[in-house]
Amino acid sequence: MSLNTRNHKVKLRSTVEQQLMASAISAADYSCMSTSSSTPRLTATQVLPAIAGIYVSQTIITALTTQALPSLLRSEGLH
């Protein structure tokens, strides 16, 4: 590895570290500034459709898996 390539990697690493530190500091500043009174509360009309959507998507994935898996196993000769 040439010296020029090594210097480039060190500069790149230090830039990434600086960006990570800056984002961690800004996140810490934001969390100190937020108050509990400004935290939005979810209502039942917002939560219930989200839960229903998760339930439906989970059911679809399970149904597709239970329908497809036996066929795939049979086609591979693993009966």
Side-chain angles (χ1 to χ4, degrees):
M1 180 185 317
S2 70
L3 183 61
N4 195 12
T5 306
R6 186 176 298 143
N7 286 340
H8 178 69
K9 287 184 179 182
V10 169
K11 286 179 185 178
L12 182 63
R13 186 181 316 137
S14 67
T15 303
V16 171
E17 288 172 351
Q18 288 172 357
Q19 290 173 348
L20 288 173
M21 288 299 292
S23 65
I25 290 170
S26 64
D29 291 343
Y30 180 74
S31 66
C32 293
M33 291 176 18
S34 65
T35 60
S36 62
S37 62
S38 67
T39 304
R41 297 287 179 194
L42 296 175
T43 62
T45 57
Q46 293 170 324
V47 172
L48 291 177
I51 292 173
I54 292 169
Y55 177 73
V56 168
S57 63
Q58 196 173 24
T59 302
I60 290 171
I61 291 170
T62 302
L64 290 173
T65 303
T66 57
Q67 291 294 316
L69 193 58
S71 300
L72 292 172
L73 292 175
R74 269 193 301 272
S75 68
E76 293 296 320
L78 298 172
H79 186 305

